């Protein structure tokens, strides 16, 4: 593994992890006013995919979207400020956790509705093809979303039009508390690709390097005009479905512990150290950097001004020139 | 001026705008080589090719959701949905995504896209091919809902839609499609939220929507022979709604009837009455009356079907009664 790539993946995963741990604390402290679905345990997926994306490539995300936003280049400050309901948030306090928008860096939205991101990514793929742009669109969604009609319609449309799209299913084994094995006729979601005539790839979603490689090939295909790819990342969320929700009764402690032992950040760290790509100092430096960054961003977000009530009706329709 | 049918005028607007703006593309079932179920895209496939006249599978939720993403990323999609009943599967994409995207992105994303197709009761189409739903869509912030009634208006308003930045639902009554009318030759646009006085009068105001505008004009012609002058107003868009023109007319006539085919409860007529009640109360000489489609799914058999929509006869009688109140 190249040192630069290894360190980039490591830094970005850690930034997501530490930002969300901060958000979880902030929620307990009453700073987060609405829902907060963390991505803890799944960081390798967004990180591995987004490492291949340029700013004008587009990401369409879900209710569990902090990681996608951060990996696509939205700052922890803007994400935190948004969850704190502040004017400085990436959606100016209009959206909160499930409506993070920063089209300037290609984060086309997280969503409170499960499914539509799959269709919208296909739509961005259509734009790229129509206007002859070299870009790709990515939809991140869960195992639960893969049983929604949007999945079938969106993947099929992208397949028949050969659109430059990555469909990245984050199979964390549960939709809220419902096991994927209960709600999917075949819980190996990647195998559905056969039904649409496109490649379907199964990846260890806790292995950042594997994710990076699989996404690299899918992005290459997309940019080369070869059409979409379905990637199923087998992964796990180690916190509750949503912060503050009870997290018992539907999965065993042993299962949670087994996945914690496969923590994606720890796995990458061990790998980077054991094959001597990096040394302890490199890792420590990143930890220091990221800790300082997240602490500072949190403080600035918490100190940010509230939006003005009189702005609540702006942007319902187009207002600009 | 030239004489054109409604369908041809709309198609010409689309053709000319597609020639002007390479970001515009059309999606729908059979809108490619086949030219559209209602000839909405006849001849365009040969001109613009399969990427811009994109035939879709029968996946309304899917291609409307896709079009939302296309608009978000810089295209101008036109969804040609045939009958409005077919896009009800896509209500989530329309309300939660298309309508709210500009707001959610705090104005950074534009949503230039048009959903167009037919509405209306008639021809024994029965209840899955007879919907109107302009009231339903007009209840949603973020949408523009236009209901052009003449060839000149459909051309001008379609152009406005294709040159704008908001998502537009353009509803075309199926019984207006073959109507002919004079259409200006020059490059004009017709704004949304500006009503048209379809016929001037002084005794009573009738506000119609889509086909009922035509029926109100016909009723007005009958009543004119009895010395009753009906002012017929065509709002042309139900969202935004030009209430000022209606208020002005009521100031003159003192009487108001809203005639529309759609369901009455919480509907278009209720909205107009509420606003006129609030802002034109002192001008009213009689209670506001509504004449709407029956509150029932649309039946198939012609005698049943006729029973549930306002006809020229029922409108004439209701207007006469209102004038005598
Ligand atoms: C259309 C829709 N139905 C239901 C919900 C409520 N809901 C929110 S998250 C969720 C589970 C999603 O599971 P999955 O897609 O596997 O994502 P995960 O939470 O596991 O990341 C549900 C049912 C919703 N937001 N949208
Ligand atoms: Mg899941």
């Amino acid at each position: 593994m190249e040192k630069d790539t290894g360190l980039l993946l490591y830094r970005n995963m850690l930034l997501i992890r530490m930002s969300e741990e901060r958000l979880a604390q902030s929620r307990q402290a009453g700073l987060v006013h609405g829902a907060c679905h963390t991505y803890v345990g799944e960081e390798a997926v967004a990180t591995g995919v987004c490492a291949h994306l340029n700013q004008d490539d587009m990401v369409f995300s879900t209710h569990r979207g902090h990681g996608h936003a951060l990996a696509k280049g939205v700052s922890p400050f803007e994400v935190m400020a948004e969850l704190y309901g502040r004017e400085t948030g990436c959606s100016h306090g209009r959206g909160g956790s499930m409506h993070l928008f920063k089209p300037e860096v290609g984060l086309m939205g997280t969503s409170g509705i499960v499914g539509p991101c799959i269709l919208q990514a296909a739509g961005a793929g259509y734009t790229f093809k129509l206007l002859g742009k070299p870009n790709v669109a990515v939809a991140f969604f869960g195992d639960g979303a893969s049983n929604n009609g949007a999945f079938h319609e969106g993947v099929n449309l992208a397949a028949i039009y050969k659109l430059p799209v990555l469909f990245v299913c984050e199979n964390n084994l549960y939709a809220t508390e419902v096991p994927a094995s209960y709600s999917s006729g075949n819980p190996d979601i990647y195998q559905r690709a056969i039904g649409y005539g496109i490649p379907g790839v199964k990846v260890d979603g806790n292995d950042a390097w594997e994710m990076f490689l699989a996404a690299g090939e899918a992005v290459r295909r997309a940019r080369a005009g070869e059409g979409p790819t379905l990637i199923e990342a087998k992964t796990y969320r180690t916190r509750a479905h949503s912060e503050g929700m009870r997290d018992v009764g539907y999965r065993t402690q042993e299962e949670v512990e087994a996945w914690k032992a496969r923590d994606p950040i720890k796995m990458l760290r061990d790998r980077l150290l054991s094959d001597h790509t990096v040394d302890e100092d490199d890792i420590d430096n990143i930890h220091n950097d990221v800790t300082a960054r997240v602490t500072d961003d949190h403080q600035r977000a918490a100190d940010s001004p509230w939006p003005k009530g009189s702005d609540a009706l702006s942007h319902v329709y187009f207002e600009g020139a | 001026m030239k004489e054109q049918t409604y369908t041809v005028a709309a198609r010409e607007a689309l053709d000319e705008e597609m020639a002007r703006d390479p970001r515009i593309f059309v999606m729908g079932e059979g809108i490619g080589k086949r030219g559209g179920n209602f000839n909405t895209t006849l001849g365009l496939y040969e001109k613009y090719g399969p990427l811009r006249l994109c035939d879709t599978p029968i996946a309304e939720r899917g291609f409307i959701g896709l079009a939302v993403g296309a608009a978000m990323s810089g295209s101008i999609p036109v969804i040609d949905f045939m009958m409005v009943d077919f896009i009800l599967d896509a209500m989530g994409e329309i309300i939660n995504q298309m309508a709210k995207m500009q707001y959610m992105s705090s104005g950074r994303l534009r949503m230039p896209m048009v959903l167009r197709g037919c509405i209306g009761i008639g021809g024994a189409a029965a209840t899955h091919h007879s919907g109107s739903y302009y009231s339903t869509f007009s209840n949603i912030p973020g949408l523009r809902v236009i209901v052009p009634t003449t060839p000149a208006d459909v051309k001008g308003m379609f152009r406005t839609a294709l040159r704008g930045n908001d998502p537009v639902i353009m509803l075309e009554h199926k019984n207006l499609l073959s109507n002919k009318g004079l259409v200006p030759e020059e490059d004009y646009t017709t704004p949304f939220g500006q009503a048209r006085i379809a016929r001037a009068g002084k005794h009573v105001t009738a506000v119609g929507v889509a086909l009922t505008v035509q029926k109100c004009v016909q009723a007005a012609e009958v009543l004119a022979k009895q010395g009753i002058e009906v002012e017929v107003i065509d709002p042309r868009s139900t969202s935004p709604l030009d209430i000022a023109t209606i208020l002005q007319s009521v100031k003159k006539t003192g009487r108001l009837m809203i005639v529309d085919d759609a369901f009455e409860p919480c509907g278009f007529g209720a909205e107009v009455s509420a606003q006129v009640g609030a802002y034109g109360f002192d001008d009213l000489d009689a209670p506001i009356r509504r004449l709407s489609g029956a509150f029932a799914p649309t039946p198939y058999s012609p005698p049943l079907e006729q029973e549930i929509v306002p006809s020229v006869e029922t409108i004439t009688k209701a207007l006469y009664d209102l004038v005598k109140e």
Side-chain angles (χ1 to χ4, degrees), chain A residues 37-39 42 62-64 98 111-116 141-146 148 170-178 237 241, chain B residues 61:
Chain A
H37 304 90
T38 74
Y39 197 55
E42 307 185 24
T62 66
H63 59 289
R64 195 176 303 291
M98 289 192 282
S111 174
I113 303 291
V114 167
F141 53 94
D143 47 288
S146 75
N148 184 279
E170 302 174 324
N171 186 350
N172 59 11
L173 303 182
Y174 298 91
T176 314
E177 299 189 359
V178 182
R237 69 170 155 73
H241 168 73
Chain B
R61 189 243 173 127

Side-chain angles (χ1 to χ4, degrees), chain A residues 12 15-16 19-20 23 39 46-47 50 53 59-80 82-83 90-91 96-103 105-111 140 170:
Chain A
N12 287 349
L15 190 73
I16 298 171
S19 297
E20 288 200 303
L23 282 170
Y39 197 55
T47 305
C50 292
L53 303 183
V59 162
F60 297 81
S61 162
T62 66
H63 59 289
R64 195 176 303 291
H66 309 154
H68 309 135
L70 293 164
K72 193 64 176 64
V74 185
S75 70
F77 166 66
E78 290 168 295
V79 171
M80 292 182 190
E82 187 57 33
L83 273 83
C90 61
S91 307
S97 167
M98 289 192 282
H99 305 275
L100 306 173
F101 280 81
K102 185 139 197 214
V105 300
L107 193 262
M108 307 304 283
T110 63
S111 174
F140 290 104
E170 302 174 324

Side-chain angles (χ1 to χ4, degrees), chain B residues 14 43 48 91 101 138 140 155 160 189 195 207 236 299 306 316:
Chain B
L14 180 61
Y48 301 109
M91 276 312 238
M101 200 55 77
S138 301
I140 307 303
K155 187 165 193 180
T160 301
T189 57
V207 179
R236 300 197 281 195
Q306 277 157 31
T316 308

Side-chain angles (χ1 to χ4, degrees), chain B residues 240-300:
Chain B
L241 174 65
D242 176 8
I243 200 69
T245 298
I246 297 171
L247 285 167
Q248 248 165 39
S249 177
V250 171
K251 202 178 196 76
K252 184 166 60 172
T253 64
R255 290 164 205 272
L256 172 65
M257 165 139 3
I258 304 112
V259 187
D260 91 306
D261 281 349
F263 309 129
E264 194 169 83
C266 304
F268 174 74
E271 175 61 27
V272 174
S273 339
Q275 292 209 44
V276 173
Y279 309 116
F281 186 74
D282 292 339
D283 297 322
L284 288 166
D285 299 324
I288 299 168
R289 298 293 179 199
R290 286 181 290 169
L291 204 55
S292 304
F295 193 49
T298 308
Y300 163 76

Side-chain angles (χ1 to χ4, degrees), chain A residues 5-318:
Chain A
T5 309
L7 287 178
L8 177 84
L9 295 175
Y10 190 79
R11 175 184 293 273
N12 287 349
M13 286 203 290
L14 196 65
L15 190 73
I16 298 171
R17 174 69 55 87
M18 296 188 94
S19 297
E20 288 200 303
E21 284 176 343
R22 182 70 247 187
L23 282 170
Q25 288 170 2
S26 292
R27 194 177 178 284
Q28 290 218 314
L31 273 169
V32 176
H33 312 282
C36 179
H37 304 90
T38 74
Y39 197 55
V40 173
E42 307 185 24
E43 295 90 345
V45 185
T47 305
V49 173
C50 292
H52 296 282
L53 303 183
N54 304 319
Q55 211 163 67
D56 52 1
D57 294 322
M58 295 183 182
V59 162
F60 297 81
S61 162
T62 66
H63 59 289
R64 195 176 303 291
H66 309 154
H68 309 135
L70 293 164
K72 193 64 176 64
V74 185
S75 70
F77 166 66
E78 290 168 295
V79 171
M80 292 182 190
E82 187 57 33
L83 273 83
Y84 301 168
R86 306 310 164 101
E87 179 60 31
T88 50
C90 61
S91 307
H92 303 295
R94 284 185 150 64
S97 167
M98 289 192 282
H99 305 275
L100 306 173
F101 280 81
K102 185 139 197 214
E104 298 89 335
V105 300
L107 193 262
M108 307 304 283
T110 63
S111 174
I113 303 291
V114 167
C117 63
I118 299 171
L119 303 170
Q120 287 163 13
Y126 206 94
T127 291
F128 300 150
K129 189 161 175 171
L130 179 75
L131 304 182
K133 294 189 175 176
N135 298 109
V136 300
V138 180
F140 290 104
F141 53 94
D143 47 288
S146 75
N147 293 319
N148 184 279
F151 174 86
H152 168 72
E153 298 192 21
V155 177
N156 187 58
L157 286 165
I160 64 172
Y161 304 137
K162 273 205 166 193
L163 302 178
V165 184
L166 272 64
F167 296 103
V168 182
C169 178
E170 302 174 324
N171 186 350
N172 59 11
L173 303 182
Y174 298 91
T176 314
E177 299 189 359
V178 182
S181 58
Y182 167 83
S183 45
S184 304
N186 172 1
D188 275 326
I189 290 152
Y190 76 97
Q191 289 182 355
R192 297 187 196 176
I194 297 168
Y196 307 112
I198 63 167
V201 193
K202 175 168 83 169
V203 189
D204 178 351
N206 282 34
D207 186 327
W209 183 242
E210 291 300 316
M211 273 311 307
F212 178 77
L213 292 180
E217 168 56 13
V219 168
R220 185 205 61 73
R221 264 179 56 79
R223 292 204 206 278
E226 293 167 28
T229 303
L230 172 62
I231 295 177
E232 178 186 3
K234 304 270 189 191
T235 185
Y236 201 79
R237 69 170 155 73
T238 51
R239 298 183 71 96
H241 168 73
S242 178
E243 287 307 294
M245 237 170 107
R246 91 188 167 124
D247 193 29
V248 290
Y250 68 99
R251 58 183 189 178
T252 63
Q253 201 51 42
E254 293 76 57
E255 185 181 279
V256 178
E257 292 308 325
W259 279 94
K260 277 187 176 164
R262 301 191 69 252
D263 182 275
I265 297 176
K266 182 173 160 298
M267 276 169 62
L268 182 63
R269 178 178 183 275
D270 291 351
R271 177 167 187 160
L272 290 170
L273 289 174
S274 70
D275 66 11
H276 303 290
T277 312
V278 305
D279 57 32
E280 294 276 0
D281 278 353
D282 294 319
I283 297 285
D284 288 348
N285 285 341
I286 290 181
H287 271 261
N288 293 338
D289 274 7
V290 171
T291 306
R293 171 92 194 267
V294 168
T295 307
D296 184 55
D297 280 18
H298 155 73
Q299 202 51 55
R300 283 198 299 135
D303 292 343
S304 284
W306 295 97
K308 288 201 297 281
S310 56
D311 284 344
L313 296 187
S314 57
H315 305 305
V316 176
Y317 296 97
F318 179 71

